[in-house]
Amino acid sequence: MARPDKAAAVAELADQFRSSNAAVLTEYRGLTVAQLKTLRRSLGENAQYAVVKNTLTKIAANEAGITSLDDQFTGPTAVAFITGDPVESAKGLRDFAKENPNLIIKGGVLDGKALSADEIKKLADLESREVLLSKLAGAFKGKQSQTASLFQALPSKFVRTAEALRVKLEEQGGAE
């Protein structure tokens, strides 16, 4: 790699691979510029979609320690670098691919682990991080409410039992 512009491109791509939570490789053959613009918007704020050169991107991925994608750098390739919630971007890719069959999801990487196209589609079927956290918080709150009810039930049951005993003793005392 003798040319400094190529070296700079590889360095920039390697930095994007390192700073991203996930990266998804796609084939964009047959998509118009307007469709690519729509795709970029559908990925969300935390994703950057870039059309890349296979050779340079493969070198950059290897420099970033990602060797599992080497066989996917064929044909026209674009990469979605995801820095935020990968589920949101995976949903955007999946939904766009449904409407535009020219977009083909090749595979990707999530936190250093290689993902197939099917695994990315399964990732898109998950609920977002915020929804999962709110469900977890709701489950914790429900368990706390159950525990509070349990602790409250014992004294109130004791009071009802004592009152029933007092009434019974009064009735026995008044009957004699």
Side-chain angles (χ1 to χ4, degrees), residues 69-91:
L69 301 176
D70 287 353
D71 59 335
Q72 296 178 5
F73 291 111
T74 57
T77 303
V79 182
F81 294 104
I82 304 164
T83 55
D85 184 13
V87 174
E88 177 187 353
S89 298
K91 285 181 185 198

Side-chain angles (χ1 to χ4, degrees), residues 17 25 29-31 46 50 67 76-78 89 98 110 112 115-116 119 121 125 127 131 146 149 153 160 163 166 174:
F17 274 113
L25 272 62
R29 186 186 332 245
L31 293 176
N46 299 322
T67 57
T77 303
S89 298
K98 282 182 184 176
L110 174 65
L115 297 176
S116 68
E119 289 172 323
K121 289 174 185 171
D125 292 336
E127 293 174 332
V131 171
Q146 287 176 342
S149 297
R160 286 192 303 271
E163 179 63 21
R166 185 190 62 77

Side-chain angles (χ1 to χ4, degrees), residues 16-58:
Q16 285 183 309
F17 274 113
R18 284 187 201 103
S19 64
S20 299
N21 297 341
V24 179
L25 272 62
T26 63
E27 183 176 320
Y28 63 93
R29 186 186 332 245
L31 293 176
T32 66
V33 173
Q35 288 172 322
L36 287 174
K37 189 175 180 181
T38 304
L39 172 59
R40 284 184 175 99
R41 272 190 255 120
S42 71
L43 292 178
E45 301 173 358
N46 299 322
Q48 186 178 23
Y49 190 74
V51 174
V52 295
K53 291 192 174 282
N54 288 330
T55 306
L56 298 180
T57 309
K58 184 176 178 180

